[in-house]
Amino acid sequence: MNILVSGSLAYDRIMDFPGKFSDHILPDKVHVLNVCFMINGLSENFGGTAGNIAYALSLLDENPTIIATAGRDFDPYRNWLTKNKISTNHIKIIDEELTAGAYITTDQSDNQITAFNPGAMKWSADFHFDSLASEKALAIVAPGNLDDMISLSTLYKKKKVNYIFDPGQSLPAWKKELLIDMIQGSKIFICNDYELQLTQEKTSMTLNDILEKTEILIVTKGEFGSVVMQKENTGIKSFDIPAAKAHEICDPTGAGDAYRAGLIKGLAISKDDIIHAAKIGSVCAVYAVEVYGSQNFHFTPESFNKRFKDVFGGEAF
């Protein structure tokens, strides 16, 4: 199956501050704020929604196509993707920009100050294809370049390609009409519980209204699992999917993207068994929680199936 993953590619640069921001930021002086935090060190991780989803899919023995933009500093990331047998053929390089980057400083109270440079993400990936067998394709439109999110969701509807719409952190940027239009015609609309509330506030849609526009609504709830909702003649039917138990909790960054990768793997196996697909997503997500960085976990299909059996019984794939 052709799996098309659009979204962002980014370097996550994480810094630890061995103190508390509150000890250095004076509330009565925030109008003239000028502070410098001496950090313990810096770690650089590969990230971005498209990169994270594609990486987890590669571990699940799939060969996704990334649709995204990157900058002149992309070579280390390209080598990482190539090492993991992920095609970079449809990643557009913007020579005058740097790859998007998040600069995250965390203090001892787990407070964070983040600066994000969109860099190459400001540019469209300009993905085009002349023909596509829709029955052999599955796509996800994840947070990334806003023009790409609009054009790709429109293209997938035109080509009758099943797509997952995942607005995520891009939600504040959308006006009501565009947000509704991208939900309309999607196979799945996926979001966390906060994003669902924000979507409803922006669009004035009820759950029933949303399920008039998409076949399936999936709401992720972190440690409380996820909920799969579908509309039936008798109303909305909900299925609760428990979260897989983590051996240890290190960092939730990237867990949502890993969930989406597992979900896509399940749909690639059987597009009609959404509950099984969501269970694969649940198990995939827990691997990301157990390590720092969103592409630092690893598993084999065999070890994944064993863990899936421990959680849900049976085999994942």
Side-chain angles (χ1 to χ4, degrees):
M1 174 172 283
N2 296 316
I3 298 176
L4 309 175
V5 181
S6 64
S8 60
L9 292 167
Y11 288 109
D12 294 333
R13 297 176 173 101
I14 302 171
M15 296 158 278
D16 292 320
F17 173 57
K20 297 181 179 180
F21 296 142
S22 58
D23 293 336
H24 302 270
I25 299 175
L26 304 176
D28 59 336
K29 298 293 183 182
V30 292
H31 62 292
V32 287
L33 187 65
N34 186 358
V35 294
C36 175
F37 299 110
M38 190 69 69
I39 60 170
N40 278 337
L42 180 148
S43 65
E44 184 176 82
N45 293 287
F46 302 120
T49 55
N52 294 343
I53 295 169
Y55 172 73
L57 279 167
S58 72
L59 297 181
L60 291 164
D61 208 23
E62 294 292 340
N63 297 296
T65 295
I66 294 177
I67 303 169
T69 52
R72 60 181 179 270
D73 57 343
F74 185 59
D75 280 350
Y77 204 155
R78 186 200 308 277
N79 294 339
W80 168 251
L81 294 173
T82 301
K83 178 182 176 181
N84 286 281
K85 300 178 181 179
I86 300 170
S87 172
T88 61
N89 292 340
H90 294 283
I91 297 173
K92 182 179 178 181
I93 303 301
I94 310 299
D95 290 326
E96 59 266 41
E97 297 278 5
L98 294 172
T99 302
Y103 301 80
I104 307 163
T105 305
T106 306
D107 74 359
Q108 288 184 330
S109 297
D110 286 332
N111 297 307
Q112 291 185 326
I113 296 176
T114 300
F116 183 76
N117 170 36
M121 201 178 78
K122 297 189 299 252
W123 299 75
S124 172
D126 295 328
F127 179 72
H128 301 287
F129 47 74
D130 296 326
S131 63
L132 183 68
S134 60
E135 70 277 4
K136 295 181 180 179
L138 176 62
I140 181 166
V141 178
N145 177 273
L146 301 184
D147 290 335
D148 282 340
M149 294 177 74
I150 296 169
S151 63
L152 288 171
S153 60
T154 300
L155 179 63
Y156 295 148
K157 278 182 276 199
K158 180 180 178 181
K159 296 284 187 178
K160 294 182 169 49
V161 173
N162 285 326
Y163 74 94
I164 300 166
F165 179 54
D166 172 24
Q169 60 264 45
S170 76
L171 264 172
W174 298 111
K175 295 188 183 300
K176 174 180 178 178
E177 294 77 14
L178 280 173
L179 184 55
I180 292 175
D181 187 61
M182 287 184 287
I183 295 171
Q184 176 81 51
S186 61
K187 172 76 173 178
I188 298 171
F189 174 43
I190 187 168
C191 56
N192 62 31
D193 44 1
Y194 170 78
E195 292 160 355
L196 174 62
Q197 181 179 341
L198 183 56
T199 297
Q200 290 183 283
E201 290 176 357
K202 276 181 163 284
T203 63
S204 301
M205 288 196 295
T206 63
L207 292 179
N208 193 67
D209 294 331
I210 292 172
L211 284 165
E212 289 283 350
K213 300 185 180 302
T214 186
E215 289 184 35
I216 300 164
L217 170 63
I218 297 179
V219 182
T220 58
K221 299 183 176 183
E223 63 181 307
F224 300 107
S226 57
V227 180
V228 176
M229 287 178 264
Q230 293 176 286
K231 190 171 183 180
E232 298 185 351
N233 293 333
T234 54
I236 297 174
K237 191 167 184 177
S238 296
F239 303 88
D240 291 320
I241 310 297
K245 187 176 180 179
H247 298 318
E248 61 176 330
I249 298 174
C250 291
D251 178 17
T253 306
D257 293 329
Y259 182 101
R260 285 147 176 77
L263 180 71
I264 292 167
K265 174 66 177 182
L267 293 172
I269 298 167
S270 173
K271 63 182 179 180
D272 297 321
D273 195 346
I274 185 62
I275 304 306
H276 186 71
K279 289 177 179 178
I280 297 175
S282 177
V283 174
C284 195
V286 80
Y287 282 97
V289 171
E290 294 171 342
V291 300
Y292 286 99
S294 51
Q295 295 181 38
N296 291 331
F297 60 93
H298 183 76
F299 55 76
T300 65
E302 292 75 21
S303 63
F304 188 95
N305 269 319
K306 182 180 183 304
R307 190 157 190 182
F308 184 92
K309 185 175 182 179
D310 291 341
V311 178
F312 294 110
E315 289 193 340
F317 45 85

